[in-house]
Structures are given as C-alpha cells and as structure tokens.
Amino acid sequence: EQRQQADARFRMIFESASIGIAIADIDGRLQLCNPAYFAIIGYPPQMMHELTGPMIIHPDDLQANMAQVERLRAGEITKFEIENRYRRMDGESIWVHKYVSLLPGESGKPPQILALITDINERKHAMEKSRKSQEHYELALAGADLGTWEWEIPSGKTVLNERWLQILGYEPGDITPDIA
C-alpha cells in the first residue's frame, strides 16, 4: 500500500511538473515523458516510442550533445548541463536548457538517461536581438565617425570608445577606465 501511494505521488508530480521530464534507454530511445516535455518538443505523446534524442536535437547541436552523452555512458561524468535546440515536428527550432544524468538500472537492468528541459527560446531570441542591436549601434557610430563615452553612475565606471580618445588627441591606452 505504501508503495502504491508513493507511485501515485510520483505520478502526480511527474504529470504536473512544468519542466519537461524524459527518461530514455541508454541508446536514447524515449521511454517515459511528461506532458510538459511533449509541449516543449512539439511532438504528440503517441510518437514517444518512435523518437530518440538524436532525432529531435537540431543537427548543428547534435555533436556537442552526443559527446557529453558518450562521456556519461563511459562513466567519465555522472551528469551534464547543456543548451541546445530541438527540432519540433512542425520544423521550427526551440532552444532548451537541459540537465542530463544517469539513472541506475533496477535489478540488473542497464541504466537509463534522465533529461530535464526548460524552454529558453524567448531568452535566446532576446539575447540575439540585443547582440544585433549593439552591432548596428557600433556600425552607426563608426560610419558617422562619432566618439562616445558613458558614465555608469552607480559604479563610477567610465566607458570610452577609441574614436572619442582620438577626437581629444589621445592614443588608446593614454586614458584607462580607472582614470577617465
């Protein structure tokens, strides 16, 4: 009875967790996944036994991911974290933060792989947008031949660009952020 209650409690936690949880065999074939996992990867639960990790990991991210899995299988590491993209059923890519570890096998069975994933797609896209915006800003400054400086009031730090120094007649290194 206690075992049944513990199993029911585990099932409730597993099914209601907002983080994606997947258990795969040692070869990466999915064995058990929660609803959040399917919502993130964009495949229906009915396809679970047809899917493997390598099938849904974006091809550009597969090598780095599989290198870590091989280290896990070889016993070099017991867990790893990685950010990679999954390819959803509709062809779209989604960024995830993934925590992977080995689950010991029960009663002489081989170990399994546990993957916990969270959707970081919006954060990744915001970071890329910010990077591109910074690139455009720097190109515009260079194209307009403008010098800039910024004063970060809380820290007292001053940030100068090279053109600002040239306009004032200084060489790079003449004024360090500590002095400026």
Side-chain angles (χ1 to χ4, degrees):
E1 188 177 319
Q2 287 178 341
R3 172 72 180 192
Q4 288 176 338
Q5 288 176 352
D7 287 347
R9 191 172 317 131
F10 167 78
R11 178 58 68 183
M12 186 180 79
I13 293 167
F14 183 81
E15 295 292 329
S16 63
S18 61
I19 190 169
I21 305 170
I23 298 173
D25 67 17
I26 200 68
D27 296 319
R29 286 184 298 272
L30 297 178
Q31 305 291 305
L32 182 64
C33 303
N34 72 344
Y37 189 84
F38 287 112
I40 293 169
I41 68 167
Y43 283 87
Q46 302 87 315
M47 292 186 68
M48 178 173 61
H49 295 293
E50 299 170 35
L51 300 173
T52 64
M55 285 175 58
I56 59 177
I57 296 171
H58 192 282
D60 294 345
D61 301 334
L62 185 59
Q63 185 177 358
N65 197 89
M66 294 312 294
Q68 292 290 65
V69 170
E70 286 306 317
R71 292 182 67 212
L72 197 67
R73 288 180 184 157
E76 295 173 26
I77 57 175
T78 58
K79 61 186 174 194
F80 69 91
E81 289 184 64
I82 193 168
E83 290 183 357
N84 66 251
R85 290 164 290 177
Y86 279 159
R87 291 182 68 192
R88 296 169 57 96
M89 190 171 172
D90 62 8
E92 292 292 318
S93 294
I94 184 167
W95 279 98
V96 299
H97 178 266
K98 184 166 41 178
Y99 173 88
V100 181
S101 64
L102 274 182
L103 291 175
E106 296 177 6
S107 306
K109 292 183 181 179
Q112 294 176 307
I113 297 172
L114 171 68
L116 307 174
I117 65 171
T118 53
D119 178 345
I120 59 167
N121 210 45
E122 284 185 31
R123 179 176 60 103
K124 282 291 203 178
H125 289 298
M127 288 171 58
E128 179 62 15
K129 187 176 179 180
S130 176
R131 185 191 65 75
K132 284 182 180 179
S133 178
Q134 182 66 30
E135 272 181 18
H136 290 134
Y137 171 72
E138 289 171 9
L139 286 171
L141 286 176
D145 201 27
L146 295 174
T148 64
W149 63 273
E150 297 175 28
W151 178 32
E152 296 175 1
I153 295 171
S155 67
K157 181 180 175 186
T158 304
V159 180
L160 321 166
N161 78 348
E162 192 172 307
R163 182 62 186 132
W164 186 86
L165 292 171
Q166 292 170 350
I167 291 169
L168 295 177
Y170 294 103
E171 293 294 321
D174 287 350
I175 297 178
T176 63
D178 296 13
I179 297 170

